[in-house]
mmCIF file of all heavy atoms in Angstrom:
data_model
loop_
_atom_site.group_PDB
_atom_site.id
_atom_site.type_symbol
_atom_site.label_atom_id
_atom_site.label_comp_id
_atom_site.label_asym_id
_atom_site.label_seq_id
_atom_site.Cartn_x
_atom_site.Cartn_y
_atom_site.Cartn_z
ATOM 1 N N MET A 23 8.291 37.467 11.009
ATOM 2 C CA MET A 23 7.277 36.487 10.648
ATOM 3 C C MET A 23 6.043 37.167 10.076
ATOM 4 O O MET A 23 5.692 38.273 10.491
ATOM 5 C CB MET A 23 6.885 35.660 11.876
ATOM 6 C CG MET A 23 8.046 34.961 12.555
ATOM 7 S SD MET A 23 7.524 34.012 13.997
ATOM 8 C CE MET A 23 6.555 32.715 13.222
ATOM 9 N N GLU A 24 5.409 36.478 9.139
ATOM 10 C CA GLU A 24 4.123 36.900 8.607
ATOM 11 C C GLU A 24 3.093 35.842 8.950
ATOM 12 O O GLU A 24 3.357 34.645 8.839
ATOM 13 C CB GLU A 24 4.195 37.107 7.098
ATOM 14 C CG GLU A 24 5.107 38.258 6.687
ATOM 15 C CD GLU A 24 5.075 38.505 5.179
ATOM 16 O OE1 GLU A 24 4.364 37.745 4.473
ATOM 17 O OE2 GLU A 24 5.741 39.444 4.731
ATOM 18 N N PHE A 25 1.898 36.290 9.358
ATOM 19 C CA PHE A 25 0.873 35.366 9.809
ATOM 20 C C PHE A 25 -0.348 35.435 8.902
ATOM 21 O O PHE A 25 -0.627 36.468 8.279
ATOM 22 C CB PHE A 25 0.457 35.702 11.244
ATOM 23 C CG PHE A 25 1.605 35.737 12.217
ATOM 24 C CD1 PHE A 25 1.968 36.925 12.841
ATOM 25 C CD2 PHE A 25 2.340 34.597 12.491
ATOM 26 C CE1 PHE A 25 3.020 36.971 13.732
ATOM 27 C CE2 PHE A 25 3.404 34.621 13.385
ATOM 28 C CZ PHE A 25 3.746 35.820 14.008
ATOM 29 N N CYS A 26 -1.108 34.340 8.883
ATOM 30 C CA CYS A 26 -2.384 34.355 8.167
ATOM 31 C C CYS A 26 -3.463 34.881 9.106
ATOM 32 O O CYS A 26 -3.256 34.996 10.320
ATOM 33 C CB CYS A 26 -2.729 32.957 7.655
ATOM 34 S SG CYS A 26 -3.262 31.801 8.942
ATOM 35 N N ASP A 27 -4.605 35.208 8.555
ATOM 36 C CA ASP A 27 -5.676 35.772 9.387
ATOM 37 C C ASP A 27 -6.578 34.694 9.978
ATOM 38 O O ASP A 27 -7.592 35.004 10.594
ATOM 39 C CB ASP A 27 -6.501 36.787 8.607
ATOM 40 C CG ASP A 27 -7.189 36.184 7.392
ATOM 41 O OD1 ASP A 27 -7.015 34.968 7.153
ATOM 42 O OD2 ASP A 27 -7.899 36.921 6.681
ATOM 43 N N GLY A 28 -6.168 33.414 9.817
ATOM 44 C CA GLY A 28 -6.906 32.305 10.399
ATOM 45 C C GLY A 28 -6.151 31.681 11.557
ATOM 46 O O GLY A 28 -5.867 32.336 12.553
ATOM 47 N N VAL A 29 -5.796 30.403 11.407
ATOM 48 C CA VAL A 29 -5.129 29.658 12.474
ATOM 49 C C VAL A 29 -3.640 29.544 12.172
ATOM 50 O O VAL A 29 -3.241 29.049 11.121
ATOM 51 C CB VAL A 29 -5.750 28.258 12.636
ATOM 52 C CG1 VAL A 29 -5.011 27.466 13.719
ATOM 53 C CG2 VAL A 29 -7.226 28.363 12.981
ATOM 54 N N ASN A 30 -2.816 29.985 13.118
ATOM 55 C CA ASN A 30 -1.365 29.898 13.017
ATOM 56 C C ASN A 30 -0.872 28.922 14.079
ATOM 57 O O ASN A 30 -1.042 29.168 15.280
ATOM 58 C CB ASN A 30 -0.733 31.264 13.231
ATOM 59 C CG ASN A 30 -1.148 32.269 12.166
ATOM 60 O OD1 ASN A 30 -0.532 32.376 11.117
ATOM 61 N ND2 ASN A 30 -2.218 33.009 12.446
ATOM 62 N N CYS A 31 -0.287 27.803 13.649
ATOM 63 C CA CYS A 31 0.152 26.747 14.567
ATOM 64 C C CYS A 31 1.668 26.746 14.674
ATOM 65 O O CYS A 31 2.380 26.942 13.681
ATOM 66 C CB CYS A 31 -0.315 25.380 14.079
ATOM 67 S SG CYS A 31 -2.100 25.162 14.047
ATOM 68 N N LEU A 32 2.162 26.494 15.882
ATOM 69 C CA LEU A 32 3.593 26.445 16.158
ATOM 70 C C LEU A 32 3.927 25.084 16.755
ATOM 71 O O LEU A 32 3.404 24.721 17.813
ATOM 72 C CB LEU A 32 3.984 27.551 17.134
ATOM 73 C CG LEU A 32 3.671 28.967 16.645
ATOM 74 C CD1 LEU A 32 3.327 29.887 17.804
ATOM 75 C CD2 LEU A 32 4.853 29.538 15.872
ATOM 76 N N ILE A 33 4.794 24.316 16.068
ATOM 77 C CA ILE A 33 5.168 22.988 16.513
ATOM 78 C C ILE A 33 6.650 22.975 16.867
ATOM 79 O O ILE A 33 7.471 23.570 16.158
ATOM 80 C CB ILE A 33 4.852 21.941 15.406
ATOM 81 C CG1 ILE A 33 5.290 20.537 15.833
ATOM 82 C CG2 ILE A 33 5.533 22.300 14.096
ATOM 83 C CD1 ILE A 33 4.352 19.862 16.736
ATOM 84 N N GLY A 34 6.990 22.308 17.968
ATOM 85 C CA GLY A 34 8.390 22.206 18.361
ATOM 86 C C GLY A 34 8.504 21.601 19.741
ATOM 87 O O GLY A 34 7.522 21.486 20.473
#
Side-chain angles (χ1 to χ4, degrees):
M23 304 180 68
E24 294 184 358
F25 305 115
C26 73
D27 61 0
V29 178
N30 297 272
C31 296
L32 301 148
I33 178 80

